[in-house]
Amino acid sequence: MDEEFTPLDCLLSTGTQKICLVILNQPLEPRFFHVLWNKAVIRACADGGANHLYQLTEGRWESFLPDYISGDFDSITPEVKNFYSEKKCRLIETADQDLTDFTKCLALMLDEIKTRQVQVDTIVTLGGLGGRFDQTMATVETLFHIQKMSEIPVVVIQDSSLACLLREGRKHQLYVNTGLEGEWCGLIPMGGSCLTSTSGLRWNLDNQELGFGKLVSTSNTYEELDAKEERKPVTISTDRPLLWTMGIKTE
Ligand SMILES: Cc1ncc(C[n+]2csc(CCOP(=O)(O)OP(=O)(O)O)c2C)c(N)n1
Ligand SMILES: O=c1ccn([C@@H]2O[C@H](COP(=O)(O)O)[C@@H](O)[C@H]2O)c(=O)[nH]1
C-alpha cells in the first residue's frame, strides 16, 4: 500500500492538512507555535506543556485557551492550573504511572477526534525531542503505542527537528519540497531491524537491513539535483516500523 505524506505541510500557513496540536513540557518556539495554533482544530497540553503555553502567550492568555490539559499534574504550576481552570478549559487528570503524560494526552486526543467527528490529517506535537533523554526515548515509544491505536500520522517537532514513525509494510512517499526542509534526514530502526529500500536520498538502501550495531541511516540528505530539477519525493519501504527524522530550515 502506498502512503503519501508531506511532513512539513503542517508548518506552512498555506498547508492543506487538517491538524490537531499537542504541546509538551518543552520550550515553545514562536515561529512554529503560531502557525500550528491557528490551524489546529483541537489543541491540548500535556501537564507542564501548559506552563509553556502560558509563558509564550503572556498578556494574551484568553486568546490561547487549549481544549484540554491532561496529565498527572506534577509539573503544571498552581497559577497556570488555576488560570485555565477558571477559563473553563478541561483539566483531565490521568494518574496512571505506567504511561507518560504524552501517551495519555494523545489517547485522549483520539477520543476527542472521534467524539467531535472531525476529520484530521495529522496530529502535530511540539516538544518531545529535547530536554531529558529518557523523555526523548519515551516520545519514540509513544509513537509506537499510538500507531497501534490510530491511522492518523503523528509528527513530533522541536527546535529544527521533526520525527515520525513510518508504518511497516507500506511504501511511503514523503514530499520534501515545501521549502522548509533542512539539509539532513535520517532513518532510525528504533523498534528493531528493518529491511528497507529507499529512493530520493543521497545514500539509498536497496532491500538492506537497518539495525543498531549494523547500519543506521543518520546524516543522510536528499538526492542532488540539476539546477532546474524539482526535488522528487523520497520513497521508503520497510517491513517494520521505522523512524523518519528530518531537519527543518532555521531562518
Ligand atoms: C518499568 C517501569 N519503569 C518506570 C515506570 C515509571 N513511569 C513510567 S511512565 C511514568 C509517568 C511519567 O509521567 P510524565 O509526566 O510523562 O513524566 P515525568 O515528567 O513525570 O517524569 C512513570 C512514573 C514504570 N511505571 N514502569
Ligand atoms: O524533558 C522533557 C520533559 C517532558 N517532555 C514531554 O512533556 C510531557 C509532559 O511532561 P511533564 O514533565 O509531565 O510536564 C512528557 O510526557 C514528555 O512527553 C519532554 O519531551 N522532555
Side-chain angles (χ1 to χ4, degrees):
M1 188 159 122
D2 277 16
E3 201 151 304
E4 299 191 353
F5 189 55
T6 307
L8 293 178
D9 174 276
C10 60
L11 293 180
L12 295 171
S13 47
T14 53
T16 56
Q17 288 172 6
K18 286 220 169 64
I19 67 154
C20 291
L21 177 63
V22 173
I23 298 172
L24 299 180
N25 188 5
Q26 280 294 285
L28 270 177
E29 275 211 47
R31 74 172 173 138
F32 297 153
F33 168 75
H34 288 287
V35 67
L36 291 169
W37 182 273
N38 289 336
K39 291 180 184 198
V41 292
I42 307 172
R43 303 153 178 138
C45 298
D47 201 354
N51 300 338
H52 293 282
L53 175 64
Y54 190 75
Q55 216 177 348
L56 187 76
T57 59
E58 181 162 9
R60 296 174 300 151
W61 292 311
E62 309 215 1
S63 308
F64 295 95
L65 299 175
D67 292 277
Y68 67 89
I69 301 168
S70 65
D72 53 10
F73 297 147
D74 61 353
S75 304
I76 189 169
T77 65
E79 180 190 342
V80 171
K81 198 172 174 196
N82 285 341
F83 172 79
Y84 288 118
S85 154
E86 274 172 18
K87 294 296 165 198
K88 307 276 177 269
C89 298
R90 272 177 299 151
L91 295 178
I92 307 172
E93 188 154 2
T94 53
D96 177 347
Q97 293 296 295
D98 288 332
L99 296 170
T100 65
D101 283 343
F102 178 29
T103 305
K104 293 177 280 182
C105 189
L106 276 180
L108 287 167
M109 182 62 86
L110 296 179
D111 290 344
E112 192 72 18
I113 290 168
K114 239 189 224 154
T115 308
R116 294 200 201 180
Q117 297 186 307
V118 283
Q119 186 258 319
V120 171
D121 299 309
T122 310
I123 299 174
V124 182
T125 303
L126 284 177
L129 303 177
R132 284 170 42 185
F133 185 68
D134 68 329
Q135 291 283 22
T136 302
M137 296 306 286
T139 295
V140 176
E141 206 263 332
T142 296
L143 297 179
F144 278 78
H145 270 289
I146 234 62
Q147 199 168 79
K148 291 191 190 137
M149 296 166 70
S150 170
E151 281 285 322
I152 302 173
V154 176
V155 302
V156 183
I157 294 174
Q158 184 166 357
D159 301 325
S160 53
S161 299
L162 172 148
C164 64
L165 189 65
L166 303 177
R167 272 171 211 281
E168 65 193 59
R170 307 214 177 151
K171 183 167 180 187
H172 299 269
Q173 292 216 39
L174 300 183
Y175 291 86
V176 286
N177 208 12
T178 65
L180 294 176
E181 290 75 16
E183 287 292 308
W184 63 270
C185 58
L187 285 165
I188 325 264
M190 296 295 299
S193 297
C194 300
L195 259 189
T196 308
S197 295
T198 67
S199 70
L201 298 174
R202 162 86 172 78
W203 286 277
N204 282 303
L205 297 153
D206 181 11
N207 207 26
Q208 277 164 277
E209 192 172 345
L210 288 176
F212 282 85
K214 289 180 192 141
L215 178 65
V216 172
S217 177
T218 52
S219 299
N220 210 328
T221 189
Y222 307 102
E223 193 172 58
E224 214 171 298
L225 300 170
D226 295 333
K228 280 189 199 141
E229 250 183 304
E230 282 235 332
R231 186 181 281 164
K232 289 186 214 112
V234 171
T235 69
I236 303 158
S237 307
T238 175
D239 68 336
R240 307 256 316 175
L242 179 59
L243 195 84
W244 165 257
T245 182
M246 65 195 290
I248 306 169
K249 220 179 232 167
T250 47
E251 286 157 323

